[in-house]
Structures are given as C-alpha cells and as structure tokens.
Amino acid sequence: MKTFFRNNGLCICFLVLFIGSLAGQIILGFKEHNKELIDEGANTITFIAYLSSGHFFQSTFENWESEFLQMALFVVFTIFLKQKGSSESKKIDEPEEVDREPDPTKKDAPWPVKKGGFILKIYKHSLTIMLMLLFLISFIIHFYGSLKDENEQLLRKGEPLETVSSYLGNSRFWFESFQNWQSEFLSVFAIIMLSIYLRQIGSSQSKPVDAPHMETGG
C-alpha cells in the first residue's frame, strides 16, 4: 500500500482535491439555487432533484468542457509550435524522443505498438482523441444543462420555452463557454511564459534552477 501511494501520489492527490471540490460545489450550488428559487417566489427543490437540475449540469460541465478543450489544444499545439526558453515546449532545433516512430521490438512496449497497423495509428493519437472526446461530451452536457436551466427559469415566468435550435444562438450559452475558455487559455499562456524566467526546485514543470533563461525544455 505504501508503494502504491508513492507511485500514484500525484493522481491520488488531485483526485481527492477534485472529489472534495465537487462535493463543495454540489452542496453550495444546491443552497444557492434554492435561495434563487425563494427570491423568485418559487418552491425549493430537494437535494436529489437538484442533482438532475439544469443548474447542476450547467455549472459542472461548463467547467469540465473548458478544461478538456485547453488540454487537448495544448497537446496538439505542442506538436508543431514551440516557445524558446519555456519548459513547456520542445527544443527549438533538436530532435525529441517523442517525435520518433515507435519500436515494436522495444522491451515492455505497449501492446498496440506490438500489434501495429490501424490499432497503432489510433494509439499514436489516443491522448488527443480522448481529450477531444471528453471535451465534446462535456460540451453537449453543458449545452443540455444550460438549456434545461434556461427553460426552468422561463417556465417559472410563464414565458415561451427555448428549443435546441434557438438556444444554439443564445448569448447565455456562449457567454458561459467563453468565460471559461478565456481563463483556461490565459493559464496556459501564463505557465508557458513564466516558466522561461521563473523556477520551482523539484518540480517537473520547471527547468533546473540554474538553467539559462533561453534554454528550452524541462
């Protein structure tokens, strides 16, 4: 067990933080939503009902959507775009280990590498494929939740409901998306640029403390 936690500490730490943060969001989101309902003169809902509400789906998946989009684009752009001096970039003029073709004879190579053919073609791009798939799933669920929440509000006001096609052009949905996308793109820009001049000893996201500013790579 001690070895397991040592070998998987980073994943475990962030998984625990995710679960704790999600629990906090759900509990406080439930209270906030009921407060909004009371302010509108409507009946409050139960905790179970909140978990299937548009408010819950919209507030959760609009954030997941932006995270997966940011990671997918970062993975793709770092294939061919570089930033001199950044630990987040491949070296400017030197070949990289990640660019070479996979060797099926290599010891302990993953089974898709040994299998070859179509399976290998998919495996070579599997990280990007999965991140884009997670983005699309989150985007769709965010749209569903945002539309549902909008219609729940319209229903309480006695106004006509939005359809799927009409809501695709609604400013609310796209505002929710862009307000999250811009923050993710800013955070990536920050780590790329700050890692040129700033250091954190012991972190894989930083260059060695004594590395020259214009030395690219970790």
Side-chain angles (χ1 to χ4, degrees), residues 64-76 121-139:
W64 291 19
E65 162 199 316
S66 62
E67 295 291 345
F68 291 127
L69 176 63
Q70 172 245 111
M71 288 188 288
L73 291 180
F74 189 49
V75 169
V76 171
K121 288 183 183 295
I122 296 296
Y123 188 67
K124 285 165 68 173
H125 305 283
S126 56
L127 179 58
T128 299
I129 292 171
M130 180 54 68
L131 289 173
M132 287 304 300
L133 182 60
L134 289 170
F135 162 68
L136 289 173
I137 292 172
S138 299
F139 183 86

Side-chain angles (χ1 to χ4, degrees), residues 60-105:
T60 301
F61 285 92
E62 71 173 270
N63 288 289
W64 291 19
E65 162 199 316
S66 62
E67 295 291 345
F68 291 127
L69 176 63
Q70 172 245 111
M71 288 188 288
L73 291 180
F74 189 49
V75 169
V76 171
F77 289 163
T78 53
I79 297 172
F80 53 88
L81 296 178
K82 299 176 182 179
Q83 175 58 54
K84 186 175 182 179
S86 176
S87 63
E88 302 299 317
S89 169
K90 293 193 294 186
K91 292 180 172 60
I92 302 296
D93 298 313
E94 298 179 32
E96 293 275 349
E97 182 73 3
V98 294
D99 291 324
R100 67 173 177 79
E101 285 298 312
D103 180 4
T105 65

